[in-house]
Amino acid sequence: MITSNSNRNIVTADLYSIATSGVNASNQLLTTTGNNIANVNTDGYVREQTTFVGQLYGGVGESTTSRVLNTFAQNQLRRDTTMQSEFQTYYDKTSVLDNLFASEANSISSSMSRFFASIQTATDDPTSMAARQVVLGEAELMVSQIGIVSNFLDERQDEVNKEFETTIGVANTLIQSISDLNESIRSIQGNNPNSEPSALKNERDQAIMELAELVSIETRVNADDGGVLVNLSSGESLVLQDGSFNVFTVSNDADISYTSLQLTSDDNSTSLNIHETDMGGTLGGLFRYRDEVLESSRRELGQIALALTDAVNTQNNQGMDFDQQLGSDIFTRPEVIGLKYPDNSDPSLLVSGRMTAGESSSITSADYRVTVNGVNGGTPDTIDITVALVNPDGTAVLDVDGNAITQDYTGLTAEEGTFNSVIGGIELEFASGSSYAVGDEFLLQPTKEAASVIELAITRPEDLAFASPIRVEGSINNLGDTTVTASGVTNTVVDNTFSDSGASAFDGAGGIHSAGSSPTGAGGVGAPAEIYFTSATDYQVLDDTGNVITEVTGATSFSNMLAQAEASGSGPAWPTEFSAMDNYPGYDFSLQGEPKAGDSFTIGYNTDGLSDTSNGLALANLQNSDKMLLNNNGSENLITFHESYSNIVTDIGQKASSADISLQAADALKSQSNNWFQSISGVSLDEEAANLVKYQQSYAASARLLSTAQDIFNTILGVVS
């Protein structure tokens, strides 16, 4: 009996132990389920699951509560979150510019059309001051409209720079938070290996997910201590194994408004440059938008503004205004100060630049990096440089063969007031002479701000030069049927000292150079003033006093008579003094018909020729002329101003449309990966409610078992007593 009682006592004890462990296990399961239900709306919460091991002699053993997590689903969600965030940012920003340029109210193309149409109208009555005033009004409205759009783009640059600072600050806070959480998790797991700090891990995963929205990252769990190592997808470390971390810092090269990024260790001992547009996430989207859309649009708009105003200025300079003076600039020609690189020898040294007058078809939208290769003292000082075309991000502009576009120059004059023409339609002033040092670099951005600073240079409608400054007339005694088909002016620069090789034959006093006042000097011949035919195919070029400048024999056509004379003149040849000038005399004309010996055509200043509208028509026709480079790759393909502006609008529209399509795809991928992740790690109230019922039942059953064991034990005690 004793043995039997003893055996019954063992069984009772086992039953009690089993019942107790069952109650405790069910209670733990209810606690886990309740925690899941309570955190159903908690961001970053990963549902938990409690598992048990069975005891060898019955009952429930130790429990383990852990997060239900699929790292593949989690990593996929992070990658899709990064991609979606990048396209969302890129699209949101690009669509703003797309709406700006696509709006008819902001259309610069319409402003240009109204300006050129007003010129066309004014040429119908060139003596009407009212019509001329309308031209000035439309010119002012056009540059104002260009300036408004340019200022809007400037504001977007300020806005994106502020977003860089804010986003970088958030990213650095998250990086530090991840590092701190790693330390806390290591500490807790080191003290209690069987306890998982789920709340801290959820917080860390949430911080990593938020960081993935900002930049593209890769993570790796350290199996030894549970810490998470975080790297940029390009390989640079953000959170390291030893607990240290790297932070983003803002850096600038020459252009302080052009934000670049570096990674700096938490002790600031090292810095590492990173490629911004490959970063992904919000930061990558911001950098892509800035470099691919915003900065290129600003410069292309500036290119249009410079090329358009230069072409109009050049043409107006080639005409005669209402006061019968040579035309002048209608618009200002802005200058730009070169930005200094940090390593220059002397931060006070400057280089200035501006667009070369008359080079509208050469100006590019690129920036220009000027590197000093040599400095030579003398009278004047000279300088050797390399000029390289660069993109807004500092990379080289490539030609059609994939080579960087650069040009070396030696012996350029380095003195104040002297500008030297270089590639890309600009000219440079080195005002500091021999003070520059080898290795000094300067960055010139002639198109970046140009659109917002160009203004009207004239206020008088009389300054509009609608007439041509030359008049070509056939003698009334001509026997042939030859007529003037075209006359043109290409140069009106006045310099009667001829120190400027660009001087023309115009004397600035309502005439052209006479004998003794031309490049040939005293006693020489004057500027071409007459064509005299000695036969049907031979003619002489005479000055205003009848001196023979040169003779042409065997002419097969009568196009560009003076150019033919320069190229093939004989007898007295075309004067070498004329040839030494860049563009002398600066005018020419063509004839059609069959001349007779003795026929002549005189060339003179167009005095009282206010009814002449040839230059006005040339001004109006500029809108249909190919005056702008199609791109920066060194080709000479030219397009009109309207086509260039249309290219900006089309390019931004295409990028916005492409970004919209990419965003829709990214949204779908993120939704799929989020559904996958949530199906594993998310809290399902339906599932938890079912578990709650099941665990309640198991708890009640275990409690009933415990009550039964207690009754049995009490019965035994009653029998014994």
Side-chain angles (χ1 to χ4, degrees):
M1 292 295 296
I2 295 175
T3 301
S4 177
N5 288 337
S6 175
N7 288 339
R8 284 197 298 271
N9 289 340
I10 292 174
V11 172
T12 303
D14 288 345
L15 185 61
Y16 184 84
S17 176
I18 291 171
T20 302
S21 66
V23 169
N24 291 335
S26 296
N27 184 64
Q28 180 62 47
L29 289 169
L30 286 169
T31 300
T32 301
T33 301
N35 191 45
N36 286 340
I37 294 173
N39 286 282
V40 66
N41 295 316
T42 302
D43 290 339
Y45 180 79
V46 175
R47 74 181 179 94
E48 297 177 354
Q49 177 179 322
T50 299
T51 58
F52 299 90
V53 294
Q55 293 280 37
L56 182 60
Y57 299 104
V60 181
E62 291 185 355
S63 66
T64 301
T65 301
S66 59
R67 301 185 305 156
V68 181
L69 190 66
N70 184 317
T71 56
F72 297 103
Q74 185 182 52
N75 290 336
Q76 185 62 52
L77 178 58
R78 287 173 183 165
R79 287 192 290 269
D80 291 342
T81 296
T82 299
M83 182 171 60
Q84 191 275 342
S85 181
E86 177 181 359
F87 284 120
Q88 184 72 63
T89 301
Y90 184 80
Y91 172 73
D92 288 345
K93 297 296 182 183
T94 303
S95 61
V96 172
L97 296 193
D98 184 33
N99 293 333
L100 170 72
F101 281 94
S103 170
E104 182 63 29
N106 299 315
S107 175
I108 293 173
S109 181
S110 297
S111 297
M112 290 190 292
S113 294
R114 289 193 299 270
F115 168 65
F116 287 115
S118 69
I119 296 177
Q120 183 69 53
T121 300
T123 58
D124 293 339
D125 187 1
T127 61
S128 170
M129 287 298 108
R132 287 170 173 261
Q133 190 63 55
V134 170
V135 174
L136 291 185
E138 291 295 344
E140 187 170 13
L141 288 174
M142 181 179 68
V143 295
S144 176
Q145 183 64 54
I146 294 174
I148 289 172
V149 175
S150 179
N151 289 334
F152 181 86
L153 298 180
D154 293 345
E155 292 171 359
R156 300 289 75 74
Q157 184 196 45
D158 294 338
E159 176 185 274
V160 79
N161 281 339
K162 291 176 182 177
E163 289 192 53
F164 283 140
E165 294 177 3
T166 300
T167 307
I168 290 169
V170 173
N172 287 337
T173 299
L174 291 171
I175 292 169
Q176 183 170 3
S177 177
I178 294 167
S179 180
D180 293 341
L181 288 167
N182 273 343
E183 289 300 310
S184 298
I185 292 170
R186 289 190 185 103
S187 177
I188 292 175
Q189 292 190 158
N191 295 329
N192 189 356
N194 295 324
S195 175
E196 182 178 35
S198 298
L200 291 179
K201 287 188 175 181
N202 288 341
E203 186 178 352
R204 182 180 64 184
D205 285 350
Q206 181 65 13
I208 293 174
M209 184 63 73
E210 291 176 7
L211 182 61
E213 291 184 12
L214 305 182
V215 292
S216 178
I217 58 175
E218 300 290 341
T219 61
R220 181 170 60 87
V221 178
N222 187 347
D224 295 333
D225 57 15
V228 174
L229 311 183
V230 182
N231 299 329
L232 290 174
S233 294
S234 53
E236 296 84 357
S237 295
L238 298 180
V239 180
L240 289 80
Q241 184 172 348
D242 61 1
S244 61
F245 56 90
N246 293 326
V247 297
F248 295 108
T249 58
V250 176
S251 64
N252 304 92
D253 205 344
D255 186 355
I256 61 174
S257 67
Y258 191 84
T259 300
S260 300
L261 281 186
Q262 289 182 330
L263 274 181
T264 302
S265 59
D266 57 353
D267 59 3
N268 294 319
S269 60
T270 58
S271 294
L272 179 68
N273 292 323
I274 56 179
H275 200 277
E276 297 90 354
T277 54
D278 294 336
M279 293 184 65
T282 298
L283 273 176
L286 286 173
F287 279 112
R288 279 188 57 211
Y289 156 73
R290 183 195 66 179
D291 294 345
E292 297 178 6
V293 183
L294 179 59
E295 291 299 332
S296 60
S297 298
R298 294 178 71 192
R299 286 162 171 78
E300 288 167 5
L301 182 62
Q303 180 189 14
I304 292 176
L306 286 177
L308 170 62
T309 54
D310 174 72
V312 173
N313 285 345
T314 299
Q315 193 63 56
N316 201 65
N317 273 276
Q318 292 172 4
M320 183 182 74
D321 63 22
F322 195 80
D323 297 325
Q324 302 189 50
Q325 302 297 315
L326 294 173
S328 59
D329 287 350
I330 295 177
F331 302 99
T332 58
R333 181 164 51 135
E335 293 188 11
V336 59
I337 301 298
L339 304 174
K340 303 176 286 292
Y341 282 80
D343 296 332
N344 281 5
S345 61
D346 185 346
S348 66
L349 298 178
L350 299 175
V351 171
S352 300
R354 66 187 183 191
M355 180 180 176
T356 304
E359 291 295 319
S360 61
S361 60
S362 298
I363 188 70
T364 75
S365 62
D367 294 346
Y368 300 75
R369 185 172 61 236
V370 178
T371 304
V372 177
N373 301 324
V375 180
N376 313 292
T379 308
D381 297 331
T382 60
I383 192 169
D384 305 331
I385 62 170
T386 296
V387 179
L389 271 61
V390 295
N391 296 307
D393 62 357
T395 58
V397 174
L398 305 180
D399 62 18
V400 292
D401 297 320
N403 301 314
I405 300 178
T406 64
Q407 183 67 53
D408 295 329
Y409 297 90
T410 59
L412 297 183
T413 301
E415 63 179 4
E416 185 174 1
T418 299
F419 283 83
N420 304 272
S421 294
V422 295
I423 58 172
I426 67 168
E427 52 190 21
L428 306 175
E429 177 196 36
F430 300 92
S432 298
S434 60
S435 298
Y436 301 98
V438 173
D440 285 351
E441 289 187 304
F442 301 88
L443 180 67
L444 286 95
Q445 301 171 317
T447 59
K448 182 178 180 180
E449 307 288 348
S452 58
V453 297
I454 292 176
E455 299 175 340
L456 278 182
I458 62 175
T459 57
R460 300 171 64 248
E462 292 88 347
D463 292 333
L464 294 171
F466 291 158
S468 172
I470 65 165
R471 178 189 298 159
V472 181
E473 295 179 311
S475 171
I476 60 174
N477 297 319
N478 286 353
L479 299 178
D481 60 357
T482 312
T483 58
V484 178
T485 58
S487 63
V489 176
T490 56
N491 182 23
T492 57
V493 174
V494 175
D495 181 9
N496 295 323
T497 66
F498 303 104
S499 58
D500 183 354
S501 61
S504 69
F506 294 99
D507 60 14
I512 59 176
H513 294 142
S514 298
S517 63
S518 73
T520 59
V525 295
E530 183 181 359
I531 295 293
Y532 181 78
F533 284 92
T534 56
S535 73
T537 59
D538 303 332
Y539 64 88
Q540 297 176 332
V541 180
L542 313 174
D543 66 10
D544 62 334
T545 60
N547 296 319
V548 177
I549 299 174
T550 189
E551 296 180 359
V552 176
T553 58
T556 58
S557 75
F558 303 121
S559 297
N560 299 319
M561 302 288 287
L562 300 183
Q564 282 195 65
E566 180 178 5
S568 59
S570 60
W574 188 262
T576 56
E577 294 86 354
F578 288 2
S579 298
M581 309 300 287
D582 296 336
N583 184 5
Y584 193 91
Y587 51 80
D588 207 342
F589 67 99
S590 300
L591 301 175
Q592 184 177 25
E594 186 168 340
K596 301 292 185 181
D599 287 357
S600 67
F601 292 84
T602 58
I603 312 164
Y605 197 78
N606 193 16
T607 305
D608 296 329
L610 296 179
S611 60
D612 175 16
T613 60
S614 57
N615 200 59
L617 294 174
L619 278 168
N621 194 51
L622 287 176
Q623 70 169 328
N624 301 317
S625 302
D626 294 335
K627 292 290 186 179
M628 286 196 61
L629 285 175
L630 175 60
N631 48 48
N632 296 337
N633 65 6
S635 66
E636 297 181 357
N637 297 325
L638 300 178
I639 56 177
T640 67
F641 305 119
H642 287 286
E643 289 173 332
S644 182
Y645 182 74
S646 177
N647 286 345
I648 298 178
V649 176
T650 302
D651 183 55
I652 295 176
Q654 184 274 327
K655 288 176 179 176
S657 177
S658 177
D660 186 24
I661 295 172
S662 298
L663 176 59
Q664 293 179 39
D667 283 337
L669 290 174
K670 181 182 177 181
S671 178
Q672 292 175 7
S673 59
N674 185 61
N675 290 338
W676 180 25
F677 177 78
Q678 291 299 327
S679 68
I680 299 171
S681 301
V683 176
S684 169
L685 289 179
D686 291 338
E687 181 181 350
E688 299 301 331
N691 288 338
L692 190 61
V693 172
K694 181 172 66 173
Y695 300 150
Q696 283 176 328
Q697 292 174 345
S698 68
Y699 186 93
S702 296
R704 180 61 179 164
L705 182 61
L706 181 61
S707 175
T708 300
Q710 184 65 46
D711 290 344
I712 294 173
F713 183 71
N714 289 337
T715 301
I716 293 173
L717 288 179
V719 171
V720 173
S721 62

